[in-house]
Amino acid sequence: MPTVTRSSAGLGATGPFAGAATGTVHDQVAVNVAALTELTRVMLPDLLAAGDGAIASIVGYQPAPGMAVYAASKAYVLSFTEALAHELRHTPLRVLALSPGSTRTEFYATSATSEKGVRFQTPREVVETGLRALDASRTPSRVVSGTRNRLNLAVLRRLPRRAALTIMANASRPT
Ligand SMILES: NC(=O)c1ccc[n+]([C@@H]2O[C@H](COP(=O)([O-])OP(=O)(O)OC[C@H]3O[C@@H](n4cnc5c(N)ncnc54)[C@H](OP(=O)(O)O)[C@@H]3O)[C@@H](O)[C@H]2O)c1
């Protein structure tokens, strides 16, 4: 059974950045960015020595007004993970940037994001997407979980930037 290393700890806070508490901003960068990077660095030699295994990180694609630090931290994770996937492409390790949409976990309670109109996936659906991608004969460097999430992302990326930012601002409104 290959080792799957999840660098999935993460937290998000809602509200305008101008009013954000120092601790909240610090914690998001410390956990979502610094800890993930350092844990990956520490684990990598053992994973490479084991000759099999996978690293899956939870990433984001869109800037999100109202969750500016959170979304920026996830953009870092996407960039970091895909670069790592390329660096390790000739090793037996598989490296995947997994992007969930809204998922029914504790996250929504702690980030205090509004649930109005949100279509949730279950954690099992997200994990199955990740494992399928890791099991593929050629592991992609990134995957978005859920058909609806993939469609939403495709539409968002084709919209003018200002319109996409407005949609994301509405989606990350606090409860
Ligand atoms: N749920 C969603 O809708 C959703 C959507 C997109 C991306 N994500 C991402 O998915 C990942 C997993 O989140 P989840 O949905 O499973 O949420 P979750 O149930 O709230 O789990 C978050 C995890 O992060 C850890 N964590 C939170 N704050 C921490 C801190 N200050 N220091 C150390 N560890 C901390 C928690 O540890 P404890 O259990 O010890 O508190 C927990 O293991 C996160 O990276 C999140 O950003 C979630």
Side-chain angles (χ1 to χ4, degrees):
M1 173 96 172
T3 311
V4 177
T5 303
R6 298 173 307 131
S7 26
S8 69
L11 68 154
T14 48
F17 181 69
T22 311
T24 313
V25 171
H26 173 269
D27 285 357
Q28 289 175 90
V29 177
V31 176
N32 299 1
V33 175
L36 171 137
T37 308
E38 186 57 11
L39 282 172
T40 306
R41 189 189 67 77
V42 168
M43 293 288 298
L44 205 45
D46 285 345
L47 287 172
L48 285 168
D52 191 12
I55 300 172
S57 306
I58 308 291
V59 307
Y61 289 85
Q62 291 292 326
M67 292 189 85
V69 175
Y70 176 73
S73 74
K74 294 300 179 179
Y76 169 93
V77 179
L78 176 61
S79 170
F80 171 71
T81 307
E82 286 204 280
L84 195 62
H86 188 82
E87 285 184 18
L88 297 172
R89 69 192 181 286
H90 298 310
T91 75
L93 281 189
R94 288 149 289 152
V95 181
L96 174 70
L98 169 63
S99 184
S102 299
T103 310
R104 189 57 85 184
T105 67
E106 291 296 307
F107 182 83
Y108 259 75
T110 49
S111 70
T113 312
S114 172
E115 294 190 11
K116 207 172 147 206
V118 174
R119 296 278 291 263
F120 285 96
Q121 281 200 298
T122 63
R124 172 180 287 274
E125 287 170 319
V126 175
V127 169
E128 282 175 354
T129 300
L131 291 177
R132 262 198 311 276
L134 288 171
D135 277 346
S137 53
R138 226 186 129 128
T139 299
S141 61
R142 55 164 77 182
V143 67
V144 176
S145 177
T147 309
R148 178 179 289 266
N149 294 327
R150 281 192 290 278
L151 280 174
N152 286 344
L153 183 61
V155 171
L156 272 175
R157 300 190 104 181
R158 277 164 184 74
L159 286 176
R161 203 65 174 159
R162 191 182 292 259
L165 285 167
T166 303
I167 289 170
M168 290 304 293
N170 288 331
S172 45
R173 263 200 320 269
T175 44

